[in-house]
Amino acid sequence: MSALDQYLSLYAHHADTIAAHSPALLNDRRAVALAALQGQRLPRRGDEGYEKTDIDALFAPDYGLNITRMPFGVDMAASLRCGVPNLSTLMAVVVGDIYHPSATLAANLPKGVTMMSLAEAARLHHDRVAQLFGTIAGTDSATTALNTLLVQDGVYVRLEPGVKLDKPLQLINVFNTTAPSMAVRRLLIDIADGASARLIVCDHTQLADIDYLSSQVIEISLGRDASFELYDMEESSSRTHRVSELYARQEAGSSLCVSSLALLGGATRNSYNIRPQGEHCTTELSSLAIGGGAQLIDNATRVHHSVARCASSQLFKYVLFDKAQGAFEGTVIVDEGADYTDAHQTNRNLLASPDARMHTMPQLEIYCDEVKCSHGAATGQLDDEALFYMRQRGIDAADARMMLVQAFMADVIDTVHYEPLRDRLRHLVELRLSGRAAICADCGAHPS
């Protein structure tokens, strides 16, 4: 039995239970997802776009699914120790795949801002959620279709037209079950015309000796002249795996910034699928990945320019130690008629160990003459001459290596527009490079 067959069988036997613990709107999408999965299999290593990652193998273990929605407590004191007093957020927690708002979230959300359970939103804001859920992501991807088939809840964020949210929202995803489990997570972002917001997402694991898998789908809708920043930070365990797919639809004049920081984890596959719908859209994708041990960090991007006068930039950097592996496959498509597109893609990689490996494949598909596009990739090691220069001036070898690595990563951190978070990231990276756990959840700061 393949990994996908395992979950299709589970669904066939427990469809009534899954539906009974889900809102009708989510149940309505399952038939389309199930039809899309017939005769399919999950991607395997070596398939096109999956040079390093075997999705089928990641889903193959017999993970438990919480289809009856049993509540699991979380040790908030262990997860949310705040070390940054100037980084205050509006916070909620997802334990496994169950949403828990902080005690004061509802009272502190400004007028025109909604952050709630997707199941609750499907009832209270049915028409709007129905317009977006499953329509931005679709079911072309087998992993997205499987997520749609099994998902029972998620998180919904909505900003009404013209609302400017200064304080960041924050979502902390936590694994803490005592048995191997899979969390089916869904995040629906709905930013109306002229509105702007930031969201910080942190992945955290409390039990390092248990196997976990996160199946996550993010759908983002940006209205005209809307602005949204998503900062995605992963610090889990070597036995926690993650498959995350992000889909974004941008209307004219909107601005989207997505930045990820991978500090600790097992095998991670992040996919980004962006398609501007109107002119004068801007899209920024950036990622900083620090891999050690046998960690795998795989990022795949697809930015499809089909309208004129839009701009996109991609900056992905990896630092790999020990036997860590990295992969980057990025595609920029410029359709005929998408004149004056300005698109740039860069991947730079630092192999800090002879056993580390990196696969990179940046790609441009341009069907239009009036464009300005570029792409490039480079993989190398620390500069021996620079190390020698620093050692000659009395700098310890370990400190010299850390300083060079930090300098290599500086421009990715600089893509973070929110200054308090940018300062915190520098600290987290320093902790990670020193060999200590940075506790990504610490950056979540105090709920307010």
Side-chain angles (χ1 to χ4, degrees), residues 260-262 285-291 297 299 314-320 326-328 346-351 358 360 376 378-379 404-415:
S260 70
L261 175 66
L285 301 178
S286 64
S287 176
L288 174 57
I290 304 174
I297 306 168
N299 289 300
Q314 300 180 44
L315 177 61
F316 285 73
K317 283 194 170 184
Y318 295 68
V319 180
L320 303 176
F328 171 78
T346 302
N347 173 228
R348 298 283 185 265
N349 313 296
L350 189 59
L351 303 184
M358 182 70 200
T360 181
T379 301
L404 288 175
V405 171
Q406 288 176 317
F408 172 78
M409 296 182 294
D411 55 346
V412 180
I413 295 177
D414 288 343
T415 64

Side-chain angles (χ1 to χ4, degrees), residues 94-166:
V94 172
V95 182
D97 51 18
I98 296 180
Y99 175 78
H100 296 271
S102 62
T104 59
L105 177 64
N108 285 285
L109 283 175
K111 183 179 180 181
V113 179
T114 299
M115 186 174 184
M116 62 172 56
S117 154
L118 181 60
E120 183 180 8
R123 291 185 286 267
L124 298 180
H125 308 282
H126 179 275
D127 291 346
R128 185 59 187 169
V129 175
Q131 289 178 27
L132 301 178
F133 176 75
T135 66
I136 303 172
T139 54
D140 291 340
S141 161
T143 43
T144 297
L146 181 60
N147 181 285
T148 301
L149 181 69
L150 299 176
V151 69
Q152 294 176 279
D153 199 355
V155 181
Y156 177 66
V157 175
R158 163 75 176 175
L159 264 71
E160 300 299 329
V163 173
K164 310 289 186 183
L165 183 59
D166 294 328

Side-chain angles (χ1 to χ4, degrees), residues 8-313:
L8 292 178
S9 175
L10 180 147
Y11 180 76
H13 286 89
H14 299 284
D16 291 342
T17 302
I18 292 172
H21 292 84
S22 307
L25 194 156
L26 271 62
N27 291 332
D28 291 343
R29 300 289 194 266
R30 300 191 201 281
V32 174
L34 183 62
L37 290 169
Q38 299 304 312
Q40 297 288 324
R41 64 170 175 81
L42 298 176
R44 296 171 182 165
R45 181 170 178 168
D47 288 352
E48 184 177 357
Y50 294 87
E51 185 68 26
K52 290 290 185 180
T53 305
D54 193 328
I55 301 295
D56 187 78
L58 292 180
F59 279 80
D62 186 18
Y63 291 108
L65 281 169
N66 187 15
I67 61 174
T68 59
R69 317 307 291 158
M70 292 180 57
F72 293 97
V74 61
D75 185 353
M76 301 301 288
S79 297
L80 307 176
R81 296 187 301 273
C82 173
V84 188
N86 64 337
L87 182 60
S88 178
T89 64
L90 299 161
M91 191 187 71
V93 179
V94 172
V95 182
D97 51 18
I98 296 180
Y99 175 78
H100 296 271
S102 62
T104 59
L105 177 64
N108 285 285
L109 283 175
K111 183 179 180 181
V113 179
T114 299
M115 186 174 184
M116 62 172 56
S117 154
L118 181 60
E120 183 180 8
R123 291 185 286 267
L124 298 180
H125 308 282
H126 179 275
D127 291 346
R128 185 59 187 169
V129 175
Q131 289 178 27
L132 301 178
F133 176 75
T135 66
I136 303 172
T139 54
D140 291 340
S141 161
T143 43
T144 297
L146 181 60
N147 181 285
T148 301
L149 181 69
L150 299 176
V151 69
Q152 294 176 279
D153 199 355
V155 181
Y156 177 66
V157 175
R158 163 75 176 175
L159 264 71
E160 300 299 329
V163 173
K164 310 289 186 183
L165 183 59
D166 294 328
K167 182 178 289 189
L169 301 167
Q170 183 174 22
L171 187 64
I172 298 180
N173 295 317
V174 178
F175 274 117
N176 70 344
T177 58
T178 56
S181 63
M182 181 173 86
V184 184
R185 294 168 174 164
R186 198 81 176 215
L187 178 56
L188 181 58
I189 308 294
D190 182 10
I191 311 297
D193 295 353
S196 65
R198 297 183 176 99
L199 173 64
I200 302 168
V201 179
C202 302
D203 280 12
H204 185 51
T205 300
Q206 289 193 336
L207 301 177
D209 58 344
I210 304 295
D211 293 323
Y212 300 111
L213 174 65
S214 169
S215 166
Q216 176 175 265
V217 172
I218 302 172
E219 294 180 281
I220 300 174
S221 171
L222 297 186
R224 293 180 65 88
D225 301 316
S227 174
F228 181 65
E229 299 170 21
L230 173 63
Y231 300 105
D232 184 10
M233 304 166 63
E234 183 182 5
E235 187 189 28
S236 50
S237 72
S238 61
R239 296 176 65 171
T240 301
H241 307 311
R242 167 175 131 147
V243 178
S244 177
E245 295 174 287
L246 181 149
Y247 300 85
R249 183 169 63 202
Q250 296 182 242
E251 299 299 334
S254 63
S255 173
L256 173 64
C257 171
V258 179
S259 182
S260 70
L261 175 66
L263 291 173
L264 290 172
T268 296
R269 164 74 180 203
N270 298 316
S271 300
Y272 305 94
N273 305 273
I274 317 294
R275 187 158 189 166
Q277 303 287 303
E279 294 187 357
H280 303 292
C281 291
T282 60
T283 305
E284 298 178 57
L285 301 178
S286 64
S287 176
L288 174 57
I290 304 174
Q295 191 174 355
L296 168 65
I297 306 168
D298 183 353
N299 289 300
T301 70
R302 184 181 179 88
V303 180
H304 194 152
H305 290 279
S306 57
V307 294
R309 298 176 179 84
C310 292
S312 66
S313 65

